[in-house]
Amino acid sequence: MLRKEELKAKVCQEIDNRKEETISLAKAILESPETGFREINTAKLVSRKFAELGISHRRDIGLTGVKGSVSGGNSGPSVCVMGELDSLIVPDHPYADKTTGAAHACGHNVQIAMMYSVAAAIVKTGVLPSLAGRVIFIAVPAEEGIEIEYRYGLIKQGKLHYSTGKAEFIRLGEMDDIDITMMTHTSSELENKKIAAVESMNGVIRKKVQFIGKSAHAGGQPHKGINALNAAMIALASINAQRETFQDADTIRVHPIITKGGDAVNAVPADVRIESYVRGKTAQALLDANGKVNRAFRAGAMAVGAKVNIITIPGSMPLITYPELWSTYKGNVTSIISEEEIGNVGHRTGSSDIGDVSQIMPAIHPLCAGATGTPHGSDYLIKDYDMALINPAKMMAMTVIDLLSDNAIRAKEVLLKSKPPMTKEQYVKSLDSLFTEEEYQG
Ligand SMILES: [Zn+2]
Ligand SMILES: [Zn+2]
């Protein structure tokens, strides 16, 4: 049985040995970006790389996800290392797909390479017999909350149940055999820090709303119409009237847009559509704000006698952190970079579906430096692959060793001291209860 430090040295050596291979994997994915639930080629590539490593795996989970697993010498907890398959749509990005506009403008391509790098290190170095438990490698679809219409269509067709990949993985039971999850996201905003903790992130609920009125001649007989645009404007004003009730600590964000304002300028608008996100720091605050937003939509319909159809689609749950898991991870971070190079970005008002995972098990989602440009912008690129890929891969691989060596004593400790707020069943129930379609006649 090898000592823990020897095991760590082995996995780090393997990650270094494969540096060129993993960087070219990241670049290959950069050059063929695919958006959420359409990551066919990226998933194929992951599957091929898993096969090369001899990792048994399954494909097409949650439409495009890939899940591989390997077992240690003894039984014990399962630790998952994740990477996200999907790209954004940023047509003017230098590596954008000319046809679809898809582009990797927040570094998910590197996440996949990072996950592969950890997998290779764990599988090819002979460390597995010294570990107790299993290591699971997941390439997960659709983190970005884009192409709502497409995803809503998939949901309507019964091909999907939720709108993001991790939620779908949880629902399908694909996280049931996992106890701890790790994922590292690249960042261009860490200044002089190289790794940063994310303490928490807002959860998000997505809304598709349609006001239905009655058309009539806008000049001649407006009194015979029902103005859906007026209803929508009253609804937006009513949403704004809720803002003073949102408490700072809850970091509520409601940001609606009108996607259709009417059909013809000389007719009373009878079909007006709005999309909105509702975000908040805790599930409770999010639900409270969502209720107020629904009330505001009804108010618009009520004021003019229009009908409103409010479709609510669960997005991502708030991210919470697990100090025990973080401290294990941090111990490995400081073996590569100095304490001063570790930052903490605190609470983030954006959202990610790693939040969903964190609701049901200990999970961490640190940020690593090495990228430049604006997140989700046309200039977002990976500049330093050591910082954005190689180092974070080593940190996660060493954390796997920490957690599962010595009969997984550390993983068991982390699990004992961590209290996820929900069980999987509670999670599914709460997401399902959010998924609503309400028709209100004002
Ligand atoms: Zn992103
Ligand atoms: Zn991202």
Side-chain angles (χ1 to χ4, degrees):
M1 190 75 87
L2 290 169
R3 279 176 43 239
K4 197 188 274 192
E5 293 315 312
E6 288 171 298
L7 299 172
K8 288 187 182 181
K10 273 173 172 265
V11 292
C12 289
Q13 186 60 53
E14 184 71 18
I15 289 169
D16 277 332
N17 292 348
R18 288 176 181 262
K19 182 171 164 176
E20 245 172 74
E21 182 199 352
T22 47
I23 292 175
S24 51
L25 175 60
K27 288 182 176 169
I29 300 170
L30 175 71
E31 285 172 12
S32 63
E34 296 169 302
T35 56
F37 298 121
R38 302 184 198 263
E39 311 97 326
I40 312 277
N41 293 323
T42 316
K44 258 189 212 157
L45 182 57
V46 171
S47 169
R48 207 176 71 217
K49 298 299 279 182
F50 277 174
E52 278 171 24
L53 294 175
I55 296 177
S56 73
H57 61 282
R58 286 180 298 117
R59 287 170 53 178
D60 306 332
I61 304 168
L63 296 186
T64 50
V66 187
K67 179 180 175 184
S69 75
V70 293
S71 298
N74 282 312
S75 60
S78 296
V79 178
C80 171
V81 177
M82 261 189 189
E84 293 164 339
L85 288 161
D86 63 324
S87 78
L88 288 147
I89 298 176
V90 185
D92 55 348
H93 190 278
Y95 291 93
D97 184 299
K98 297 283 171 289
T99 321
T100 62
H104 279 289
C106 79
H108 294 187
N109 57 315
V110 178
Q111 284 181 23
I112 294 290
M114 207 188 287
M115 181 269 292
Y116 168 75
S117 178
V118 177
I122 297 291
V123 170
K124 288 293 179 191
T125 49
V127 300
L128 269 171
S130 306
L131 305 182
R134 293 195 308 145
V135 193
I136 315 269
F137 304 102
I138 291 179
V140 68
E143 182 271 334
E144 303 288 353
I146 58 172
E147 298 186 297
I148 303 279
E149 283 296 334
Y150 167 64
R151 292 187 199 177
Y152 190 65
L154 292 173
I155 291 168
K156 280 279 165 193
Q157 290 164 39
K159 291 182 180 163
L160 269 186
H161 196 75
Y162 297 142
S163 66
T164 70
K166 296 183 197 72
E168 197 65 4
F169 260 65
I170 296 172
R171 180 186 74 86
L172 292 168
E174 295 293 346
M175 304 301 290
D176 289 359
D177 58 349
I178 297 170
D179 298 293
I180 293 169
T181 295
M182 283 188 284
M183 199 181 86
T184 312
H185 199 293
T186 61
S187 175
S188 56
E189 299 177 315
L190 299 187
E191 292 169 9
N192 57 347
K193 306 293 185 191
K194 290 184 176 163
I195 290 285
V198 180
E199 277 188 6
S200 53
M201 287 177 91
N202 270 356
V204 59
I205 293 171
R206 305 194 174 102
K207 309 189 76 78
K208 260 165 60 78
V209 178
Q210 182 183 23
F211 287 95
I212 301 158
K214 196 172 152 214
S215 59
H217 195 295
Q221 296 180 311
H223 58 281
K224 290 197 172 167
I226 296 172
N227 193 319
L229 183 59
N230 284 342
M233 288 194 303
I234 291 163
L236 295 184
S238 305
I239 289 171
N240 289 337
Q242 312 299 316
R243 295 193 193 274
E244 67 180 19
T245 73
F246 299 152
Q247 301 195 58
D248 293 350
D250 293 333
T251 61
I252 299 295
R253 297 283 187 277
V254 184
H255 41 95
I257 58 167
I258 294 183
T259 55
K260 182 178 178 186
D263 287 289
V265 70
N266 58 0
V268 170
D271 178 3
V272 172
R273 296 178 197 195
I274 288 180
E275 280 179 18
S276 189
Y277 276 15
V278 182
R279 305 186 198 247
K281 188 172 180 180
T282 64
Q284 201 187 359
L286 188 55
L287 289 174
D288 177 66
N290 183 54
K292 289 173 179 170
V293 167
N294 284 348
R295 204 169 58 197
F297 284 131
R298 284 184 221 117
M302 179 188 274
V304 302
K307 193 154 83 179
V308 63
N309 191 18
I310 308 167
I311 296 172
T312 302
I313 308 166
S316 305
M317 288 275 188
L319 175 77
I320 53 170
T321 30
Y322 292 88
E324 281 297 314
L325 180 56
W326 174 257
S327 78
T328 306
Y329 174 74
K330 194 179 163 193
N332 293 302
V333 173
T334 48
S335 74
I336 296 180
I337 64 171
S338 71
E339 183 90 33
E340 294 70 47
E341 290 171 318
I342 305 175
N344 184 336
V345 297
H347 176 64
R348 309 213 108 192
T349 48
S351 315
S352 167
D353 62 353
I354 188 71
D356 297 52
V357 178
S358 80
Q359 291 289 328
I360 61 166
M361 72 178 73
I364 50 167
H365 179 250
L367 301 177
C368 60
T372 53
T374 316
H376 294 196
S378 59
D379 57 348
Y380 192 93
L381 288 167
I382 304 302
K383 188 188 69 178
D384 183 335
Y385 281 93
D386 279 310
M387 274 203 275
L389 199 174
I390 304 301
N391 286 347
K394 287 180 183 172
M395 290 160 185
M396 288 201 287
M398 287 194 286
T399 305
V400 170
I401 303 287
D402 259 335
L403 290 167
L404 297 183
S405 61
D406 298 334
N407 216 14
I409 185 161
R410 186 70 194 130
K412 288 172 188 165
E413 214 166 50
V414 166
L415 291 170
L416 201 69
K417 291 184 178 166
S418 304
K419 297 267 171 289
M422 294 182 191
T423 63
K424 177 212 166 180
E425 288 69 31
Q426 288 167 329
Y427 165 85
V428 169
K429 219 168 142 186
S430 88
L431 244 64
D432 283 345
S433 70
L434 274 177
F435 217 130
T436 56
E437 203 166 333
E438 174 187 341
E439 201 179 82
Y440 176 80
Q441 176 65 60

